[in-house]
Amino acid sequence: MTAGATGKVQIMNQKPSKPRPTGSGDRKALKGEVTDAAVRESTERSWDDWFAVLDQWGAKNRPRGEIVRWLVEDQGVDQWWAQTLTVGYEQERGLPAPDQDS
């Protein structure tokens, strides 16, 4: 076997990487990747608690930037967590991502 053929065999024997979810895939992907324990530890609320708070505030009818800004400015959430919670909320509620057509 040549060096090129050996490399091919090694690549073919590698385990495929897990594909990243897209807008047409698993809508609850982020919630599955970021544990409820991590959300609670960093924000003092669970995913479901945040979803309820965001529903009550009317997040379904607001753009992503406004939701993130509200979480940071009014709820005291760190910027990274605000983005994460917002994307998780959009996925959980089946809302289109900003780059998708409604």
Side-chain angles (χ1 to χ4, degrees):
M1 229 182 252
T2 66
T6 303
K8 259 186 194 173
V9 171
Q10 288 174 348
I11 290 171
M12 292 180 71
N13 288 333
Q14 288 179 353
K15 207 175 185 181
S17 62
K18 185 177 177 184
R20 298 290 299 162
T22 63
S24 61
D26 180 7
R27 297 296 295 170
K28 297 181 183 177
L30 184 61
K31 186 177 175 189
E33 290 179 18
V34 180
T35 66
D36 201 53
V39 173
R40 186 181 298 277
E41 181 179 328
S42 297
T43 68
E44 299 180 1
R45 291 185 175 159
S46 69
W47 275 115
D48 289 336
D49 291 342
W50 279 113
F51 295 157
V53 167
L54 289 164
D55 281 340
Q56 185 175 17
W57 179 66
K60 274 187 180 181
N61 301 315
R62 299 175 192 256
R64 180 179 284 180
E66 185 178 349
I67 299 168
V68 170
R69 196 169 26 262
W70 181 77
L71 286 168
V72 170
E73 294 175 1
D74 293 15
Q75 300 299 306
V77 176
D78 170 87
Q79 178 72 31
W80 187 89
W81 279 106
Q83 285 283 354
T84 300
L85 292 169
T86 300
V87 172
Y89 177 80
E90 291 170 342
Q91 291 175 346
E92 181 73 14
R93 296 300 185 249
L95 302 174
D99 59 344
Q100 292 179 328
D101 291 331
S102 302

